[in-house]
């Protein structure tokens, strides 16, 4: 079983739709990251969370430590949001990141 | 805004050859990492480096791999004798303190023939 599970694996949306991507993890963590990977391969860090909620523009990330679950929301989605969104957790006992398999999002005009 | 850079962006090599992948972390960062992503798979941790020594390494990071910070700016990953299965995108990352987020480089796509 993967230590970090994401759902859905693939997601298509029409421009303007509200998007939710989910992440569940099974290990003790000190932080959770949401990352964005564009088709060229580069990875951009969107959020690092250890509790509660963070917002940046149209992106919102929440985490529930008790339930070991995090969500990434995109409001008013746009075609430029099309990318792979990756959840990664920092293991409690080490500094390494454990990655989910990613959610491929396509937003159509 | 400062960013992590990696060179080369692409490298093609023959099986058995040595390759060195180079990274320039953000200048005031102290923690350095290498990750790899085989095509179609998830990103995997390889190694972390702090205070001029390896702080943690994964099972993937065997004797064929080594890392170095030869000067104050570069952070390198060497693969001594490449195998076909080493073909992947290799990402370098850095962060300033233990509590902050990591910043990723654009990656080096390595193809072993």
């Amino acid at each position: 079983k993967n230590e970090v599970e994401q759902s859905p694996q693939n997601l298509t949306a029409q421009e303007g739709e509200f998007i939710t991507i989910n992440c569940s993890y099974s290990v003790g963590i000190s932080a959770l990251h949401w990352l964005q990977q564009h088709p060229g391969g580069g990875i951009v860090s969107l959020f690092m969370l250890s509790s509660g909620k963070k917002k940046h523009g149209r992106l919102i990330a929440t985490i529930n430590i008790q339930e070991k679950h995090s969500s990434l929301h995109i409001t008013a989605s746009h075609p430029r949001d099309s990318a792979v969104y990756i959840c990664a957790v920092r293991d409690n006992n080490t500094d390494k990141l454990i990655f989910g398999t990613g959610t491929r999002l396509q937003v159509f005009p | 805004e400062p960013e992590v850079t990696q060179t080369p962006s692409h490298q093609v090599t023959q099986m058995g050859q040595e390759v060195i992948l180079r990274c320039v972390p953000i200048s005031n960062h102290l923690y350095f990492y290498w990750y790899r992503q085989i095509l179609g798979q998830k990103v995997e941790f390889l190694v972390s480096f702090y205070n001029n020594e390896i702080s943690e390494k994964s099972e993937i990071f065997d004797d064929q791999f080594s890392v170095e910070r030869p000067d104050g700016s570069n952070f390198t990953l060497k693969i001594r004798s490449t195998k076909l299965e080493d073909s992947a995108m290799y990402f370098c990352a850095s962060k300033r303190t233990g509590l902050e987020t990591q910043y990723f480089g654009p990656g080096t796509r390595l193809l072993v023939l």
Side-chain angles (χ1 to χ4, degrees):
Chain A
K1 188 182 186 302
N2 288 326
E3 293 160 303
V4 180
E5 299 270 8
Q6 286 185 239
S7 62
Q9 286 190 315
N10 294 282
L11 186 54
T12 57
Q14 288 294 125
E15 185 173 353
E17 284 185 14
F18 182 83
I19 304 288
T20 295
I21 299 170
N22 296 298
C23 175
S24 296
Y25 52 92
S26 58
V27 295
I29 70 167
S30 54
L32 181 144
H33 297 251
W34 281 103
L35 308 165
Q36 182 190 55
Q37 186 172 33
H38 278 282
I43 294 175
V44 173
S45 182
L46 299 174
F47 295 105
M48 185 177 75
L49 292 162
S50 52
S51 64
K53 176 177 166 178
K54 285 191 176 179
K55 184 175 189 293
H56 186 254
R58 295 179 295 105
L59 301 179
I60 303 165
T62 63
I63 188 167
N64 185 320
I65 296 292
Q66 286 73 30
E67 294 189 3
K68 296 191 171 181
H69 181 269
S70 175
S71 294
L72 176 69
H73 305 286
I74 305 175
T75 61
S77 59
H78 190 276
R80 66 174 173 266
D81 297 326
S82 299
V84 175
Y85 291 84
I86 302 171
C87 173
V89 301
R90 190 166 76 210
D91 186 290
N92 221 358
N93 298 313
T94 74
D95 191 32
K96 72 177 186 182
L97 291 183
I98 305 168
F99 292 77
T101 51
T103 294
R104 185 175 300 276
L105 171 65
Q106 287 188 291
V107 182
F108 294 98
Chain B
E1 187 175 322
E3 56 186 23
V4 178
T5 59
Q6 289 186 241
T7 54
S9 57
H10 294 79
Q11 178 143 6
V12 181
T13 191
Q14 294 289 326
M15 192 170 60
Q17 295 295 303
E18 174 184 286
V19 294
I20 297 176
L21 309 183
R22 291 185 166 79
C23 169
V24 179
I26 294 172
S27 64
N28 63 348
H29 284 193
L30 302 175
Y31 295 78
F32 313 109
Y33 307 85
W34 283 101
Y35 299 92
R36 80 168 186 193
Q37 185 178 33
I38 294 170
L39 188 64
Q41 298 186 22
K42 63 182 178 180
V43 179
E44 299 172 289
F45 167 80
L46 288 178
V47 66
S48 57
F49 192 88
Y50 170 71
N51 202 24
N52 283 320
E53 60 183 23
I54 290 173
S55 37
E56 190 175 0
K57 58 184 181 180
S58 72
E59 290 172 359
I60 303 165
F61 194 89
D62 61 21
D63 292 344
Q64 293 299 312
F65 290 88
S66 61
V67 289
E68 238 187 358
R69 190 154 159 81
D71 52 42
S73 59
N74 289 285
F75 180 50
T76 61
L77 174 70
K78 184 194 290 188
I79 309 174
R80 285 191 188 80
S81 178
T82 49
K83 306 185 190 71
L84 297 177
E85 54 264 36
D86 294 327
S87 296
M89 182 79 110
Y90 288 81
F91 293 101
C92 171
S94 70
K95 66 181 181 183
R96 194 168 61 95
T97 71
L99 299 175
E100 293 186 1
T101 194
Q102 295 182 25
Y103 292 83
F104 287 81
T108 292
R109 193 173 295 279
L110 175 66
L111 179 61
V112 182
L113 300 176

